[in-house]
Amino acid sequence: MSFVIPAGIQTVLFPWLIAIELQLGAQELGLGQMALQVPALLFILIGGFLADRLDARKMLILLHLIAVVPPLCLALLIENGLLSFAWMIVYALSMGVVTAFSQPARDKLLNAVAGNRIQRTVTIVMGLTFGAQIIGFAIASSAESNGPEILLVLMACVMVSGTYSSARLPPSPGNSSMGGSMSAAIFEGLRIVWYSEKMRASAILLAAISMFYGGTFLVLNPLMVRDLYQGGSEEISLSFAMFMSGTVLTTIALVASGGVKNPGLALIIAVIAGGVMLAIASLGLSFYGYLATIFVWGGCGGIAMSMGRTIMQELAPESHRARVMSVFSLANVGSLTFGAAIMGFSAEFVGILNSFLVAVAGGLATTLYVATCTRLAHV
């Protein structure tokens, strides 16, 4: 939770600072969100290698301490009236590097506590994660009334508390005897995913979800709230919270029902249903109609992300799990690098509502390929 609550605050606060406080356009917002994801594209496979080789618990303790610095520096800049788009990019790159190294370590520790109940544990953890993000969204909704500086300091305080909770986790010793170079070890994780048809298909589909649907979530959604509904930090926070509420509801349903027997088919259906919701959102509904659509879309997203992570966690060999999961994160988070930029430029040139349809076309085209050309539906 010590990473997730600050991530929830950041999800609302970052676009608010660019779109509302600095009054910049869709291209700048897309580039800013892209900067948050670029480090994952560059470093997350290295993070997976280190998590397999080192003690993941000690990595998390150190990363929590490092994560304190960017929000405190940004708060200082705002307090002194020095906020600019360039400093927002520096902040985004810094936090992106922390995420690139922390995510594989967290994935490795998840399996240590999951035992043989991976789907249930993954679903519960995702439900708690999105629930904690909603708390972050609620906190960030006060940006206009309390000021962003206080929220950034609060982010840093939560990160500090994470060093204590990380220290209480069981040790997760790495495989220090791994032979070969770092590049060879990383390539081994890529090779395992590529030669497993079901993991490869899951990674491709999750990459498309992140690129098209994730770009919509991070870029088009706040622009939609600002330009079509004339909203501020409270409305942006509410739209994000509705998505996450739908996600939490579906994860609760998955846990209560005991999970699904065919996660591959569930993943495909969830992506298709999510595309339908985005197509409806492009019709220019009332604000409350838009929120209802976002809620259902979030429910579809909860199923898709839970099933995708379950497939990867279950099929990954223990000795290579962090590296395999870093490939999953690369497909998931790394694709947001391009998705944020694509959706930002699309909104600039074809409009926000038409860009929703661009996202739908990309997501459904990839789903059609995976459903007809792979055996993912038979996992």
Side-chain angles (χ1 to χ4, degrees):
M1 299 302 108
S2 52
F3 270 116
V4 178
I5 292 177
I9 297 173
Q10 177 179 276
T11 299
V12 175
L13 189 59
F14 187 81
W16 180 82
L17 285 170
I18 292 178
I20 306 295
E21 192 74 4
L22 293 176
Q23 283 295 303
L24 298 176
Q27 289 188 33
E28 288 83 2
L29 180 56
L31 290 173
Q33 295 285 18
M34 178 181 176
L36 277 170
Q37 316 304 329
V38 163
L41 188 66
L42 300 176
F43 299 120
I44 203 160
L45 295 180
I46 299 175
F49 165 78
L50 292 176
D52 269 339
R53 189 180 184 90
L54 306 175
D55 188 327
R57 183 189 62 149
K58 292 181 179 179
M59 282 182 63
L60 281 182
I61 294 172
L62 176 61
L63 288 165
H64 274 96
L65 293 174
I66 295 173
V68 170
V69 178
L72 290 181
C73 290
L74 189 59
L76 189 62
L77 289 167
I78 296 173
E79 180 67 24
N80 288 279
L82 299 175
L83 181 66
S84 67
F85 182 63
W87 281 120
M88 291 298 296
I89 294 297
V90 172
Y91 168 84
L93 293 173
S94 302
M95 293 303 289
V97 169
V98 173
T99 301
F101 287 97
S102 64
Q103 187 62 56
R106 290 157 61 193
D107 285 333
K108 181 181 178 182
L109 288 167
L110 175 62
N111 268 75
V113 299
N116 59 358
R117 306 184 71 182
I118 292 177
Q119 184 181 137
R120 178 181 175 83
T121 304
V122 166
T123 304
I124 291 173
V125 169
M126 289 193 63
L128 292 173
T129 296
F130 292 122
Q133 282 195 327
I134 293 174
I135 296 174
F137 297 159
I139 294 171
S141 68
S142 66
E144 291 170 346
S145 57
N146 294 330
E149 301 95 326
I150 293 177
L151 301 183
L152 290 164
V153 172
L154 179 60
M155 285 176 60
C157 292
V158 176
M159 288 292 186
V160 169
S161 71
T163 60
Y164 172 74
S165 56
S166 297
R168 291 174 59 85
L169 292 170
S172 179
N175 183 9
S176 58
S177 62
M178 282 194 307
S181 64
M182 180 176 68
S183 59
I186 291 173
F187 180 77
E188 184 67 13
L190 288 167
R191 188 190 66 80
I192 289 172
V193 173
W194 183 256
Y195 284 104
S196 168
E197 182 189 22
K198 293 169 183 176
M199 282 198 286
R200 182 177 71 248
S202 297
I204 291 172
L205 192 51
L206 289 165
I209 294 171
S210 294
M211 180 176 294
F212 297 108
Y213 295 179
T216 299
F217 178 72
L218 292 177
V219 177
L220 297 185
N221 178 54
L223 289 174
M224 185 90 154
V225 173
R226 185 193 71 174
D227 295 346
L228 192 65
Y229 303 115
Q230 289 75 51
S233 64
E234 290 186 7
E235 289 78 13
I236 293 174
S237 173
L238 182 59
S239 67
F240 283 131
M242 289 300 291
F243 179 92
M244 293 301 180
S245 297
T247 302
V248 171
L249 183 64
T250 56
T251 55
I252 292 173
L254 285 171
V255 173
S257 65
V260 298
K261 294 182 179 180
N262 191 330
L265 181 60
L267 171 57
I268 291 171
I269 293 173
V271 177
I272 295 172
V276 172
M277 290 300 106
L278 286 184
I280 294 174
S282 72
L283 298 177
L285 309 171
S286 68
F287 182 58
Y288 291 106
Y290 176 71
L291 291 180
T293 304
I294 292 295
F295 176 81
V296 179
W297 180 39
C300 299
I303 296 173
M305 288 181 279
S306 179
M307 295 302 102
R309 184 173 290 274
T310 294
I311 292 168
M312 300 293 283
Q313 291 272 12
E314 288 185 339
L315 296 179
E318 176 65 31
S319 59
H320 295 71
R321 180 157 286 123
R323 278 170 285 173
V324 168
M325 292 310 298
S326 70
V327 176
F328 166 86
S329 296
L330 178 65
N332 187 16
V333 182
S335 295
L336 282 172
T337 304
F338 303 104
I342 290 170
M343 291 298 106
F345 282 100
S346 177
E348 192 75 28
F349 290 106
V350 303
I352 298 171
L353 294 177
N354 288 332
S355 295
F356 273 80
L357 298 179
V358 172
V360 171
L364 295 186
T366 308
T367 306
L368 179 63
Y369 161 74
V370 168
T372 58
C373 299
T374 75
R375 291 179 53 80
L376 180 63
H378 302 284
V379 171

